[in-house]
Amino acid sequence: MAETAEPQNRQTDDSKHAARAERRAAKLAKQIGAFAKAHGGAEGQLAYLGQMGTRIVLVGEDGGWGDLVAPSYAVAESATLKAGITVHEDFDGEFAAKVRTGPYEWSRMAGIQVGGPSNDRS
């Protein structure tokens, strides 16, 4: 019986997938590092989004915040490890209290509420 090339192809696909994930984690780590540098440091929290991936919520020491989306939890976890930031299990308590919102965020939140200002810019 002749051997098939399937195991080697699977191995090649796995190594390509691993290399792609590593590059994505490195790119995200670089973005996390830039955020941390701009905000005097940063902490994060990982939120699983299902098939969409994992959201990396970042909160700077100055209260600034932002987020990134990784294609998987493993990539998000690798990126935060590479960036060297503290990752919290939950977005609550002292960590959540660090977030500072501005007029834009308040108007967006109020627009969602019944009777809040409209967010239409037309």
Side-chain angles (χ1 to χ4, degrees):
M1 238 170 129
E3 291 186 37
T4 64
E6 186 177 324
Q8 184 174 355
N9 288 343
R10 189 177 316 143
Q11 190 176 31
T12 301
D13 289 345
D14 289 347
S15 63
K16 284 181 181 180
H17 180 72
R20 190 176 315 126
E22 183 63 29
R23 286 191 305 272
R24 184 65 178 137
K27 182 178 179 180
L28 286 166
K30 187 174 180 180
Q31 292 172 311
I32 293 167
F35 178 90
K37 184 176 179 183
H39 295 277
E43 298 176 55
Q45 190 261 336
L46 305 181
Y48 180 66
L49 300 173
Q51 288 182 338
M52 293 176 57
T54 299
R55 182 179 310 262
I56 305 168
V57 180
L58 300 169
V59 178
E61 289 301 314
D62 64 358
W65 61 277
D67 66 348
L68 300 165
V69 177
S72 70
Y73 193 90
V75 170
E77 194 171 43
S78 176
T80 56
L81 285 170
K82 288 177 186 300
I85 66 168
T86 299
V87 178
H88 297 269
E89 289 290 321
D90 297 305
F91 194 84
D92 60 5
E94 289 182 33
F95 178 53
K98 288 183 177 185
V99 175
R100 299 290 172 249
T101 55
Y104 172 77
E105 289 84 7
W106 281 103
S107 72
R108 296 279 300 168
M109 288 185 279
I112 294 170
Q113 303 300 317
V114 176
S118 172
N119 286 319
D120 293 335
R121 307 256 180 210
S122 15

PDB file of all heavy atoms in Angstrom, residues 68-98:
ATOM      1  N   LEU A  68      -8.460  45.807  21.537  1.00  0.00           N
ATOM      2  CA  LEU A  68      -7.973  45.133  20.339  1.00  0.00           C
ATOM      3  C   LEU A  68      -8.684  43.795  20.272  1.00  0.00           C
ATOM      4  O   LEU A  68      -9.121  43.278  21.299  1.00  0.00           O
ATOM      5  CB  LEU A  68      -6.461  44.896  20.424  1.00  0.00           C
ATOM      6  CG  LEU A  68      -5.569  46.121  20.559  1.00  0.00           C
ATOM      7  CD1 LEU A  68      -4.160  45.709  20.990  1.00  0.00           C
ATOM      8  CD2 LEU A  68      -5.509  46.855  19.235  1.00  0.00           C
ATOM      9  N   VAL A  69      -8.786  43.231  19.089  1.00  0.00           N
ATOM     10  CA  VAL A  69      -9.394  41.905  18.969  1.00  0.00           C
ATOM     11  C   VAL A  69      -8.373  40.947  18.371  1.00  0.00           C
ATOM     12  O   VAL A  69      -7.790  41.224  17.323  1.00  0.00           O
ATOM     13  CB  VAL A  69     -10.673  41.941  18.112  1.00  0.00           C
ATOM     14  CG1 VAL A  69     -11.240  40.540  17.934  1.00  0.00           C
ATOM     15  CG2 VAL A  69     -11.718  42.845  18.763  1.00  0.00           C
ATOM     16  N   ALA A  70      -8.163  39.845  19.069  1.00  0.00           N
ATOM     17  CA  ALA A  70      -7.267  38.781  18.615  1.00  0.00           C
ATOM     18  C   ALA A  70      -8.123  37.666  18.009  1.00  0.00           C
ATOM     19  O   ALA A  70      -9.268  37.486  18.407  1.00  0.00           O
ATOM     20  CB  ALA A  70      -6.461  38.244  19.791  1.00  0.00           C
ATOM     21  N   PRO A  71      -7.568  36.916  17.080  1.00  0.00           N
ATOM     22  CA  PRO A  71      -8.345  35.853  16.444  1.00  0.00           C
ATOM     23  C   PRO A  71      -8.675  34.675  17.369  1.00  0.00           C
ATOM     24  O   PRO A  71      -9.572  33.904  17.076  1.00  0.00           O
ATOM     25  CB  PRO A  71      -7.478  35.408  15.279  1.00  0.00           C
ATOM     26  CG  PRO A  71      -6.094  35.824  15.636  1.00  0.00           C
ATOM     27  CD  PRO A  71      -6.240  37.050  16.484  1.00  0.00           C
ATOM     28  N   SER A  72      -7.967  34.555  18.486  1.00  0.00           N
ATOM     29  CA  SER A  72      -8.234  33.461  19.429  1.00  0.00           C
ATOM     30  C   SER A  72      -7.783  33.876  20.820  1.00  0.00           C
ATOM     31  O   SER A  72      -7.003  34.824  20.991  1.00  0.00           O
ATOM     32  CB  SER A  72      -7.493  32.192  19.012  1.00  0.00           C
ATOM     33  OG  SER A  72      -6.102  32.351  19.205  1.00  0.00           O
ATOM     34  N   TYR A  73      -8.262  33.130  21.810  1.00  0.00           N
ATOM     35  CA  TYR A  73      -7.856  33.397  23.195  1.00  0.00           C
ATOM     36  C   TYR A  73      -6.354  33.161  23.355  1.00  0.00           C
ATOM     37  O   TYR A  73      -5.667  33.934  24.019  1.00  0.00           O
ATOM     38  CB  TYR A  73      -8.652  32.513  24.166  1.00  0.00           C
ATOM     39  CG  TYR A  73      -8.515  32.952  25.598  1.00  0.00           C
ATOM     40  CD1 TYR A  73      -9.402  33.869  26.146  1.00  0.00           C
ATOM     41  CD2 TYR A  73      -7.492  32.459  26.403  1.00  0.00           C
ATOM     42  CE1 TYR A  73      -9.279  34.283  27.463  1.00  0.00           C
ATOM     43  CE2 TYR A  73      -7.363  32.873  27.714  1.00  0.00           C
ATOM     44  CZ  TYR A  73      -8.254  33.785  28.238  1.00  0.00           C
ATOM     45  OH  TYR A  73      -8.126  34.213  29.539  1.00  0.00           O
ATOM     46  N   ALA A  74      -5.838  32.113  22.721  1.00  0.00           N
ATOM     47  CA  ALA A  74      -4.412  31.786  22.836  1.00  0.00           C
ATOM     48  C   ALA A  74      -3.546  32.917  22.287  1.00  0.00           C
ATOM     49  O   ALA A  74      -2.521  33.273  22.883  1.00  0.00           O
ATOM     50  CB  ALA A  74      -4.104  30.487  22.106  1.00  0.00           C
ATOM     51  N   VAL A  75      -3.940  33.502  21.169  1.00  0.00           N
ATOM     52  CA  VAL A  75      -3.178  34.619  20.588  1.00  0.00           C
ATOM     53  C   VAL A  75      -3.253  35.831  21.512  1.00  0.00           C
ATOM     54  O   VAL A  75      -2.242  36.509  21.744  1.00  0.00           O
ATOM     55  CB  VAL A  75      -3.679  34.955  19.165  1.00  0.00           C
ATOM     56  CG1 VAL A  75      -3.065  36.240  18.654  1.00  0.00           C
ATOM     57  CG2 VAL A  75      -3.368  33.809  18.208  1.00  0.00           C
ATOM     58  N   ALA A  76      -4.433  36.114  22.050  1.00  0.00           N
ATOM     59  CA  ALA A  76      -4.586  37.253  22.967  1.00  0.00           C
ATOM     60  C   ALA A  76      -3.724  37.067  24.210  1.00  0.00           C
ATOM     61  O   ALA A  76      -3.042  37.998  24.651  1.00  0.00           O
ATOM     62  CB  ALA A  76      -6.051  37.407  23.365  1.00  0.00           C
ATOM     63  N   GLU A  77      -3.750  35.867  24.750  1.00  0.00           N
ATOM     64  CA  GLU A  77      -2.956  35.569  25.946  1.00  0.00           C
ATOM     65  C   GLU A  77      -1.463  35.711  25.653  1.00  0.00           C
ATOM     66  O   GLU A  77      -0.711  36.306  26.428  1.00  0.00           O
ATOM     67  CB  GLU A  77      -3.280  34.157  26.416  1.00  0.00           C
ATOM     68  CG  GLU A  77      -2.800  33.823  27.788  1.00  0.00           C
ATOM     69  CD  GLU A  77      -3.353  32.484  28.253  1.00  0.00           C
ATOM     70  OE1 GLU A  77      -3.376  31.521  27.458  1.00  0.00           O
ATOM     71  OE2 GLU A  77      -3.761  32.422  29.412  1.00  0.00           O
ATOM     72  N   SER A  78      -1.026  35.206  24.514  1.00  0.00           N
ATOM     73  CA  SER A  78       0.376  35.307  24.115  1.00  0.00           C
ATOM     74  C   SER A  78       0.784  36.771  23.944  1.00  0.00           C
ATOM     75  O   SER A  78       1.864  37.176  24.373  1.00  0.00           O
ATOM     76  CB  SER A  78       0.601  34.535  22.818  1.00  0.00           C
ATOM     77  OG  SER A  78       1.919  34.684  22.368  1.00  0.00           O
ATOM     78  N   ALA A  79      -0.085  37.563  23.334  1.00  0.00           N
ATOM     79  CA  ALA A  79       0.218  38.979  23.103  1.00  0.00           C
ATOM     80  C   ALA A  79       0.384  39.738  24.417  1.00  0.00           C
ATOM     81  O   ALA A  79       1.314  40.530  24.569  1.00  0.00           O
ATOM     82  CB  ALA A  79      -0.878  39.623  22.259  1.00  0.00           C
ATOM     83  N   THR A  80      -0.505  39.486  25.381  1.00  0.00           N
ATOM     84  CA  THR A  80      -0.398  40.196  26.657  1.00  0.00           C
ATOM     85  C   THR A  80       0.835  39.751  27.438  1.00  0.00           C
ATOM     86  O   THR A  80       1.457  40.567  28.112  1.00  0.00           O
ATOM     87  CB  THR A  80      -1.676  40.021  27.510  1.00  0.00           C
ATOM     88  OG1 THR A  80      -1.942  38.631  27.703  1.00  0.00           O
ATOM     89  CG2 THR A  80      -2.871  40.695  26.856  1.00  0.00           C
ATOM     90  N   LEU A  81       1.192  38.471  27.313  1.00  0.00           N
ATOM     91  CA  LEU A  81       2.413  37.996  27.959  1.00  0.00           C
ATOM     92  C   LEU A  81       3.640  38.664  27.345  1.00  0.00           C
ATOM     93  O   LEU A  81       4.542  39.107  28.061  1.00  0.00           O
ATOM     94  CB  LEU A  81       2.528  36.484  27.843  1.00  0.00           C
ATOM     95  CG  LEU A  81       1.627  35.666  28.752  1.00  0.00           C
ATOM     96  CD1 LEU A  81       1.673  34.188  28.365  1.00  0.00           C
ATOM     97  CD2 LEU A  81       2.038  35.840  30.206  1.00  0.00           C
ATOM     98  N   LYS A  82       3.671  38.735  26.013  1.00  0.00           N
ATOM     99  CA  LYS A  82       4.796  39.374  25.318  1.00  0.00           C
ATOM    100  C   LYS A  82       4.901  40.859  25.685  1.00  0.00           C
ATOM    101  O   LYS A  82       5.995  41.391  25.808  1.00  0.00           O
ATOM    102  CB  LYS A  82       4.641  39.245  23.803  1.00  0.00           C
ATOM    103  CG  LYS A  82       4.866  37.862  23.258  1.00  0.00           C
ATOM    104  CD  LYS A  82       4.609  37.859  21.747  1.00  0.00           C
ATOM    105  CE  LYS A  82       4.680  36.491  21.153  1.00  0.00           C
ATOM    106  NZ  LYS A  82       5.960  35.825  21.304  1.00  0.00           N
ATOM    107  N   ALA A  83       3.745  41.513  25.836  1.00  0.00           N
ATOM    108  CA  ALA A  83       3.733  42.939  26.163  1.00  0.00           C
ATOM    109  C   ALA A  83       4.077  43.184  27.634  1.00  0.00           C
ATOM    110  O   ALA A  83       4.435  44.301  28.008  1.00  0.00           O
ATOM    111  CB  ALA A  83       2.371  43.539  25.834  1.00  0.00           C
ATOM    112  N   GLY A  84       3.941  42.155  28.456  1.00  0.00           N
ATOM    113  CA  GLY A  84       4.300  42.284  29.867  1.00  0.00           C
ATOM    114  C   GLY A  84       3.311  43.062  30.712  1.00  0.00           C
ATOM    115  O   GLY A  84       3.697  43.673  31.700  1.00  0.00           O
ATOM    116  N   ILE A  85       2.031  43.042  30.334  1.00  0.00           N
ATOM    117  CA  ILE A  85       1.047  43.769  31.134  1.00  0.00           C
ATOM    118  C   ILE A  85       0.344  42.826  32.101  1.00  0.00           C
ATOM    119  O   ILE A  85       0.298  41.617  31.894  1.00  0.00           O
ATOM    120  CB  ILE A  85       0.002  44.490  30.256  1.00  0.00           C
ATOM    121  CG1 ILE A  85      -0.863  43.492  29.492  1.00  0.00           C
ATOM    122  CG2 ILE A  85       0.661  45.501  29.334  1.00  0.00           C
ATOM    123  CD1 ILE A  85      -2.091  44.116  28.840  1.00  0.00           C
ATOM    124  N   THR A  86      -0.206  43.393  33.154  1.00  0.00           N
ATOM    125  CA  THR A  86      -1.013  42.637  34.095  1.00  0.00           C
ATOM    126  C   THR A  86      -2.369  42.382  33.452  1.00  0.00           C
ATOM    127  O   THR A  86      -2.987  43.293  32.905  1.00  0.00           O
ATOM    128  CB  THR A  86      -1.220  43.430  35.407  1.00  0.00           C
ATOM    129  OG1 THR A  86       0.062  43.666  35.986  1.00  0.00           O
ATOM    130  CG2 THR A  86      -2.108  42.691  36.386  1.00  0.00           C
ATOM    131  N   VAL A  87      -2.837  41.143  33.527  1.00  0.00           N
ATOM    132  CA  VAL A  87      -4.140  40.783  32.973  1.00  0.00           C
ATOM    133  C   VAL A  87      -5.057  40.374  34.118  1.00  0.00           C
ATOM    134  O   VAL A  87      -4.708  39.517  34.927  1.00  0.00           O
ATOM    135  CB  VAL A  87      -4.014  39.632  31.949  1.00  0.00           C
ATOM    136  CG1 VAL A  87      -5.376  39.228  31.419  1.00  0.00           C
ATOM    137  CG2 VAL A  87      -3.101  40.042  30.804  1.00  0.00           C
ATOM    138  N   HIS A  88      -6.219  41.005  34.176  1.00  0.00           N
ATOM    139  CA  HIS A  88      -7.207  40.733  35.216  1.00  0.00           C
ATOM    140  C   HIS A  88      -8.212  39.696  34.729  1.00  0.00           C
ATOM    141  O   HIS A  88      -8.538  39.655  33.546  1.00  0.00           O
ATOM    142  CB  HIS A  88      -7.945  42.024  35.597  1.00  0.00           C
ATOM    143  CG  HIS A  88      -7.049  43.058  36.181  1.00  0.00           C
ATOM    144  ND1 HIS A  88      -6.816  43.165  37.531  1.00  0.00           N
ATOM    145  CD2 HIS A  88      -6.301  44.027  35.596  1.00  0.00           C
ATOM    146  CE1 HIS A  88      -5.977  44.166  37.750  1.00  0.00           C
ATOM    147  NE2 HIS A  88      -5.638  44.698  36.586  1.00  0.00           N
ATOM    148  N   GLU A  89      -8.720  38.909  35.669  1.00  0.00           N
ATOM    149  CA  GLU A  89      -9.733  37.901  35.341  1.00  0.00           C
ATOM    150  C   GLU A  89     -11.056  38.557  34.965  1.00  0.00           C
ATOM    151  O   GLU A  89     -11.755  38.108  34.079  1.00  0.00           O
ATOM    152  CB  GLU A  89      -9.955  36.961  36.531  1.00  0.00           C
ATOM    153  CG  GLU A  89      -8.802  36.021  36.775  1.00  0.00           C
ATOM    154  CD  GLU A  89      -8.669  34.963  35.702  1.00  0.00           C
ATOM    155  OE1 GLU A  89      -9.699  34.445  35.237  1.00  0.00           O
ATOM    156  OE2 GLU A  89      -7.519  34.669  35.318  1.00  0.00           O
ATOM    157  N   ASP A  90     -11.422  39.621  35.692  1.00  0.00           N
ATOM    158  CA  ASP A  90     -12.704  40.291  35.497  1.00  0.00           C
ATOM    159  C   ASP A  90     -12.487  41.784  35.312  1.00  0.00           C
ATOM    160  O   ASP A  90     -11.489  42.336  35.733  1.00  0.00           O
ATOM    161  CB  ASP A  90     -13.615  40.072  36.706  1.00  0.00           C
ATOM    162  CG  ASP A  90     -13.959  38.607  36.904  1.00  0.00           C
ATOM    163  OD1 ASP A  90     -14.458  38.001  35.940  1.00  0.00           O
ATOM    164  OD2 ASP A  90     -13.715  38.082  38.004  1.00  0.00           O
ATOM    165  N   PHE A  91     -13.476  42.408  34.705  1.00  0.00           N
ATOM    166  CA  PHE A  91     -13.432  43.851  34.522  1.00  0.00           C
ATOM    167  C   PHE A  91     -14.322  44.480  35.595  1.00  0.00           C
ATOM    168  O   PHE A  91     -15.463  44.859  35.347  1.00  0.00           O
ATOM    169  CB  PHE A  91     -13.926  44.222  33.118  1.00  0.00           C
ATOM    170  CG  PHE A  91     -13.601  45.637  32.744  1.00  0.00           C
ATOM    171  CD1 PHE A  91     -12.359  45.943  32.220  1.00  0.00           C
ATOM    172  CD2 PHE A  91     -14.513  46.639  32.922  1.00  0.00           C
ATOM    173  CE1 PHE A  91     -12.039  47.246  31.882  1.00  0.00           C
ATOM    174  CE2 PHE A  91     -14.211  47.944  32.585  1.00  0.00           C
ATOM    175  CZ  PHE A  91     -12.971  48.253  32.060  1.00  0.00           C
ATOM    176  N   ASP A  92     -13.793  44.536  36.807  1.00  0.00           N
ATOM    177  CA  ASP A  92     -14.553  45.099  37.913  1.00  0.00           C
ATOM    178  C   ASP A  92     -13.612  45.653  38.973  1.00  0.00           C
ATOM    179  O   ASP A  92     -12.395  45.623  38.812  1.00  0.00           O
ATOM    180  CB  ASP A  92     -15.519  44.070  38.511  1.00  0.00           C
ATOM    181  CG  ASP A  92     -14.807  42.833  39.062  1.00  0.00           C
ATOM    182  OD1 ASP A  92     -13.565  42.792  39.080  1.00  0.00           O
ATOM    183  OD2 ASP A  92     -15.509  41.901  39.487  1.00  0.00           O
ATOM    184  N   GLY A  93     -14.184  46.182  40.028  1.00  0.00           N
ATOM    185  CA  GLY A  93     -13.406  46.679  41.152  1.00  0.00           C
ATOM    186  C   GLY A  93     -12.471  47.819  40.809  1.00  0.00           C
ATOM    187  O   GLY A  93     -12.813  48.704  40.024  1.00  0.00           O
ATOM    188  N   GLU A  94     -11.292  47.780  41.395  1.00  0.00           N
ATOM    189  CA  GLU A  94     -10.306  48.843  41.215  1.00  0.00           C
ATOM    190  C   GLU A  94      -9.889  48.988  39.745  1.00  0.00           C
ATOM    191  O   GLU A  94      -9.639  50.090  39.274  1.00  0.00           O
ATOM    192  CB  GLU A  94      -9.074  48.571  42.066  1.00  0.00           C
ATOM    193  CG  GLU A  94      -9.300  48.737  43.547  1.00  0.00           C
ATOM    194  CD  GLU A  94      -8.028  48.490  44.339  1.00  0.00           C
ATOM    195  OE1 GLU A  94      -6.926  48.796  43.826  1.00  0.00           O
ATOM    196  OE2 GLU A  94      -8.145  47.983  45.463  1.00  0.00           O
ATOM    197  N   PHE A  95      -9.826  47.872  39.052  1.00  0.00           N
ATOM    198  CA  PHE A  95      -9.434  47.909  37.639  1.00  0.00           C
ATOM    199  C   PHE A  95     -10.444  48.715  36.820  1.00  0.00           C
ATOM    200  O   PHE A  95     -10.079  49.627  36.086  1.00  0.00           O
ATOM    201  CB  PHE A  95      -9.300  46.485  37.099  1.00  0.00           C
ATOM    202  CG  PHE A  95      -8.948  46.399  35.638  1.00  0.00           C
ATOM    203  CD1 PHE A  95      -7.852  47.076  35.127  1.00  0.00           C
ATOM    204  CD2 PHE A  95      -9.706  45.630  34.780  1.00  0.00           C
ATOM    205  CE1 PHE A  95      -7.522  46.998  33.780  1.00  0.00           C
ATOM    206  CE2 PHE A  95      -9.383  45.538  33.440  1.00  0.00           C
ATOM    207  CZ  PHE A  95      -8.287  46.225  32.943  1.00  0.00           C
ATOM    208  N   ALA A  96     -11.714  48.426  36.963  1.00  0.00           N
ATOM    209  CA  ALA A  96     -12.754  49.148  36.219  1.00  0.00           C
ATOM    210  C   ALA A  96     -12.817  50.609  36.640  1.00  0.00           C
ATOM    211  O   ALA A  96     -13.115  51.486  35.822  1.00  0.00           O
ATOM    212  CB  ALA A  96     -14.103  48.476  36.412  1.00  0.00           C
ATOM    213  N   ALA A  97     -12.531  50.876  37.904  1.00  0.00           N
ATOM    214  CA  ALA A  97     -12.591  52.247  38.414  1.00  0.00           C
ATOM    215  C   ALA A  97     -11.514  53.142  37.797  1.00  0.00           C
ATOM    216  O   ALA A  97     -11.632  54.367  37.846  1.00  0.00           O
ATOM    217  CB  ALA A  97     -12.472  52.251  39.930  1.00  0.00           C
ATOM    218  N   LYS A  98     -10.489  52.557  37.208  1.00  0.00           N
ATOM    219  CA  LYS A  98      -9.422  53.346  36.582  1.00  0.00           C
ATOM    220  C   LYS A  98      -9.864  54.004  35.277  1.00  0.00           C
ATOM    221  O   LYS A  98      -9.257  54.962  34.824  1.00  0.00           O
ATOM    222  CB  LYS A  98      -8.209  52.460  36.291  1.00  0.00           C
ATOM    223  CG  LYS A  98      -7.454  52.045  37.515  1.00  0.00           C
ATOM    224  CD  LYS A  98      -6.234  51.245  37.137  1.00  0.00           C
ATOM    225  CE  LYS A  98      -5.423  50.877  38.357  1.00  0.00           C
ATOM    226  NZ  LYS A  98      -4.171  50.209  38.002  1.00  0.00           N
TER     227      LYS A  98
END
